Amino acid sequence: MQAPAGDRAAAVAGVLARCRELVRPAVVEAVGQLHPWTGEMAAYALGWSDTAGTPDPGGSEGKGVRQALAVLGAEAVGADGGAGVAGAVAVELVHTFSLLHDDIMDGDGLRRQRPAVWKAYGTGPAVLAGDALLALAVQRLAEAPGPWSAVAVRHLSGTLSTLVWGQAEDVRFERLPWSGPGAVGPEQYRSMAEGKTGALLGCAIALGAVLGGAQAGTVAVLERAGRHLGVAFQAVDDLLGIWGDPAVTGKPVHGDLRRRKKTYPVLAALAGGGPAARELAVLLESPGPLDGAAAARAAVLVEEAGGRSATRKEARRHLDAARHALREASLTPAAGADLDALFTYLLDRSW
Amino acid sequence: MQAPAGDRAAAVAGVLARCRELVRPAVVEAVGQLHPWTGEMAAYALGWSDTAGTPDPGGSEGKGVRQALAVLGAEAVGADGGAGVAGAVAVELVHTFSLLHDDIMDGDGLRRQRPAVWKAYGTGPAVLAGDALLALAVQRLAEAPGPWSAVAVRHLSGTLSTLVWGQAEDVRFERLPWSGPGAVGPEQYRSMAEGKTGALLGCAIALGAVLGGAQAGTVAVLERAGRHLGVAFQAVDDLLGIWGDPAVTGKPVHGDLRRRKKTYPVLAALAGGGPAARELAVLLESPGPLDGAAAARAAVLVEEAGGRSATRKEARRHLDAARHALREASLTPAAGADLDALFTYLLDRSW
């Protein structure tokens, strides 16, 4: 029997807070080793301070999902959560690096309702701060004590390559046509999402498990769970980018359609064929910006052509696969339950 | 007895060619694993092809100093040069990454007489290609077979942090005043150069030695040799940036002065005090660009204030320290001689 959604949210909030408390001092200590200038940008990017370097208690820290996955990954294989901290630090730093550089590439001026680092500090400095975070992530994991650091670094470095590969696909997709033989299909989009979003979530749990001393087989199953979670998470993000409540998402209504972003719902709709798909393609291929009315029409067409329901199915399928993988690994009950609750909660947004 | 300069140059060219031949297939293979788009940018940055992806036989490959240092590092500790190849690949990829990102930060539109990657492909793509190269470098070294890869990755990751730290200092210096209490001193500049240039040269030899199975003490001495080499190399570069023959350097006469670059000769001149230093500070602090006559006057003043001779001494001192370190390590005679010849040759440009 599942707990009611409200209780589950409170329980997950407790788990995230507990993991954050465990990991935070190590992240602070690591960032303190940076050059003061890149350290200032890192603190801003992490939501710890404003552009003047002043602590920002009402700041914009992320949810800390990746660090929690690393801690729970260690606990799930029977180790103390502290064993996963070095992995948690690495994935939080890599995540921050990727946000910094992706915002430059995508030209996104806002991140968590504040100016992106490149907007606040300039493009060159933002490139530098990202590089510093990436180098620090690898260094900290490589220097972590214990017998598992080399295996952990191998995992992280493979993930880095996959992450950058996913970002390259994402940027490339923006240049491809909406229809015809060169168009992006939903399967290509899923690979991209698995690289760009899934790889680091999978790596987070895997690092926790590796540092907790798990066997390679258990690590592989947990990594797979995290990757499915990432694909599901991206699908939900895509739904929210079109139909999400602006008051909740902080993003404009039909925002992804106005920006002509190639997301799963749109690509699934176009791939389905039929009159709604054809009208949608014409709309998306029209020159000039998509205004509010056109974006609203596009949203209706995506839904009519089956893109919304296909994306819901996609999210559900990958969440199920992720939870199935969790059950497949024999995990300690408490951490296994925490992971399952966290997985479910992350997808439990209005879609 | 030292060989005449011409013979030495020919011998060093032979060493560089031999190392390149050994390492090249592994770099090609590694770059072939990249996403096709980042791979294309990497091939361009490495001087293998033009922007259309067409092989560029008259291309602009670098000298390949870092890869040679890694191969010679392995040979110098008694291993086969092939043992150093994984390290050579890593440092060549990291070097290419750093050129790509530094050119963005410094706004340098030209690199080896061709448009820099960010000029040719755009800033966002250049950021991405740099990230891909960095990730690949770490991944390849982390996945290298043999018992030493973990130690090697620890070396490389520490170097990455130091490299980015040096770049942060370099960018920060550009914003500091020429005179007064906040001015940059020659010692600060030397630390920056050790980070930005020395760290990767030291890492290159160290990786070769580590992968060749050397003791930690030998690795440390060789790393120190490479770091001194880097500081000396930067000092010579600074001399050439002011007094180098444009026909040889491919850069405009007094180029670094026109661009008001904070380099060792200028900082040493300003630190010396006296009338020439004071006139130089006034000139550099004047608003507007430095035209040809002003830059020529600045060059005279740097020399009068002792900046040129101080920089020559700096280069000489660090070259001596580097060669001394080589002698301190007990190296196999042939590779030790190759390293010594390479060190000397690198500093043996007209200054």
Side-chain angles (χ1 to χ4, degrees):
Chain A
M1 204 181 79
Q2 285 208 323
D7 291 3
R8 203 161 59 217
V12 168
V15 170
L16 290 173
R18 175 173 72 81
C19 295
R20 178 188 306 285
E21 206 174 322
L22 192 61
V23 177
R24 176 72 176 263
V27 182
V28 170
E29 197 271 326
V31 169
Q33 301 300 309
L34 290 174
H35 186 283
W37 186 39
T38 52
E40 184 191 321
M41 288 187 272
Y44 175 78
L46 286 157
W48 299 347
S49 57
D50 62 21
T51 49
T54 316
D56 187 7
S60 326
E61 294 193 40
K63 289 186 286 292
V65 171
R66 290 159 194 82
Q67 67 191 8
L69 289 174
V71 170
L72 294 174
E75 291 178 351
V77 300
D80 187 85
V85 167
V89 171
V91 291
E92 282 298 307
L93 296 176
V94 167
H95 179 55
T96 311
F97 141 78
S98 76
L99 296 181
L100 271 173
H101 281 192
D102 288 1
D103 283 345
I104 295 171
M105 291 174 223
D106 303 339
D108 279 337
L110 274 181
R111 167 67 58 188
R112 293 179 193 145
Q113 273 92 58
R114 298 187 311 166
V117 173
W118 69 272
K119 270 283 184 189
Y121 292 90
T123 298
V127 173
L128 183 70
D131 292 346
L133 287 163
L134 180 53
L136 185 64
V138 179
Q139 187 187 9
R140 283 307 169 118
L141 197 59
E143 291 174 354
W148 307 114
S149 116
V151 180
V153 169
R154 218 152 42 230
H155 267 275
L156 182 71
S157 68
T159 298
L160 289 174
S161 285
T162 306
L163 189 69
V164 177
W165 181 91
Q167 173 66 6
E169 281 290 272
D170 199 21
V171 177
R172 184 175 75 89
F173 289 173
E174 296 303 315
R175 301 169 178 198
L176 295 182
W178 290 101
S179 58
V184 186
E187 298 72 24
Q188 285 173 285
Y189 183 87
R190 185 186 304 125
S191 294
M192 179 283 290
E194 187 175 339
K196 187 169 165 163
T197 309
L200 193 57
L201 293 177
C203 181
I205 318 188
L207 287 184
V210 164
L211 296 168
Q215 301 285 320
T218 304
V219 172
V221 172
L222 287 175
E223 180 145 38
R224 182 149 47 80
R227 287 189 165 227
H228 280 299
L229 176 70
V231 175
F233 189 81
Q234 185 60 54
V236 173
D237 237 36
D238 288 353
L239 289 167
L240 294 175
I242 298 179
W243 294 283
D245 179 354
V248 177
T249 64
K251 290 174 187 173
V253 64
H254 303 138
D256 281 355
L257 290 172
R258 287 170 192 249
R259 297 169 58 207
R260 283 193 171 83
K261 264 196 75 130
K262 293 203 173 68
T263 62
Y264 196 89
V266 179
L267 299 175
L270 292 170
R278 284 193 292 277
E279 186 185 336
L280 179 62
V282 171
L283 196 58
L284 290 166
E285 283 162 356
S286 65
L290 280 193
D291 63 15
R297 178 68 191 150
V300 168
L301 291 168
V302 171
E303 186 152 6
E304 270 182 35
R308 188 173 191 174
S309 66
T311 309
R312 283 173 163 157
K313 271 187 207 141
E314 168 86 354
R316 170 59 57 196
R317 185 166 65 245
H318 286 278
L319 175 59
D320 287 347
R323 297 181 67 196
H324 180 80
L326 286 186
R327 286 191 301 273
E328 205 182 310
S330 21
L331 306 178
T332 58
D338 280 352
L339 276 172
D340 189 78
L342 180 58
F343 278 27
T344 308
Y345 162 79
L346 284 174
L347 282 297
D348 198 18
R349 302 176 285 173
S350 338
W351 46 285
Chain B
M1 203 182 79
Q2 285 209 320
D7 292 1
R8 203 160 59 216
V12 167
V15 170
L16 289 173
R18 176 173 70 81
C19 294
R20 179 189 304 285
E21 206 174 320
L22 192 62
V23 176
R24 175 72 176 263
V27 182
V28 170
E29 196 272 325
V31 169
Q33 300 300 309
L34 290 174
H35 186 283
W37 186 39
T38 52
E40 183 191 321
M41 289 187 272
Y44 175 78
L46 285 157
W48 299 347
S49 57
D50 63 20
T51 49
T54 317
D56 187 8
S60 326
E61 293 194 40
K63 288 184 288 291
V65 171
R66 290 159 194 81
Q67 66 191 8
L69 289 173
V71 170
L72 294 174
E75 292 178 352
V77 302
D80 186 86
V85 166
V89 171
V91 291
E92 281 299 306
L93 296 175
V94 167
H95 179 54
T96 311
F97 141 78
S98 78
L99 296 181
L100 270 173
H101 281 192
D102 288 1
D103 283 345
I104 296 171
M105 292 174 223
D106 303 339
D108 279 337
L110 275 181
R111 166 68 58 188
R112 294 178 192 147
Q113 273 92 58
R114 299 187 312 165
V117 174
W118 70 272
K119 271 282 185 190
Y121 292 90
T123 298
V127 173
L128 183 70
D131 292 346
L133 287 162
L134 180 52
L136 185 65
V138 178
Q139 187 187 9
R140 283 305 168 119
L141 198 58
E143 291 174 355
W148 307 114
S149 115
V151 180
V153 169
R154 225 163 22 239
H155 267 276
L156 182 71
S157 68
T159 298
L160 288 174
S161 285
T162 306
L163 189 69
V164 177
W165 181 91
Q167 173 66 4
E169 280 291 271
D170 199 21
V171 177
R172 185 176 73 89
F173 288 173
E174 296 303 314
R175 302 170 177 197
L176 295 181
W178 290 101
S179 59
V184 186
E187 297 75 22
Q188 284 172 286
Y189 183 87
R190 185 187 304 125
S191 295
M192 180 282 290
E194 188 175 337
K196 188 170 164 164
T197 309
L200 193 58
L201 294 176
C203 181
I205 318 187
L207 287 185
V210 164
L211 296 168
Q215 302 284 321
T218 304
V219 173
V221 172
L222 287 175
E223 179 145 38
R224 183 149 45 81
R227 286 188 166 229
H228 280 299
L229 176 69
V231 175
F233 189 81
Q234 186 59 53
V236 173
D237 237 37
D238 288 353
L239 289 167
L240 294 175
I242 298 179
W243 294 283
D245 179 355
V248 177
T249 64
K251 291 174 185 172
V253 66
H254 302 138
D256 280 355
L257 289 172
R258 287 170 192 248
R259 297 170 58 208
R260 284 194 172 82
K261 264 197 75 129
K262 292 203 174 67
T263 62
Y264 196 89
V266 179
L267 300 175
L270 291 169
R278 282 192 294 277
E279 188 186 334
L280 179 63
V282 170
L283 196 59
L284 291 166
E285 283 161 357
S286 66
L290 280 194
D291 63 17
R297 178 69 190 148
V300 168
L301 291 168
V302 170
E303 186 152 9
E304 270 182 35
R308 189 174 191 176
S309 66
T311 309
R312 283 173 163 156
K313 271 187 207 140
E314 169 85 355
R316 170 59 58 196
R317 186 166 66 245
H318 286 278
L319 175 59
D320 288 347
R323 298 181 66 197
H324 180 79
L326 286 186
R327 287 192 301 274
E328 207 182 308
S330 21
L331 305 178
T332 59
D338 281 351
L339 277 173
D340 189 79
L342 180 59
F343 278 28
T344 309
Y345 161 79
L346 284 174
L347 282 299
D348 198 17
R349 301 176 286 173
S350 337
W351 46 283

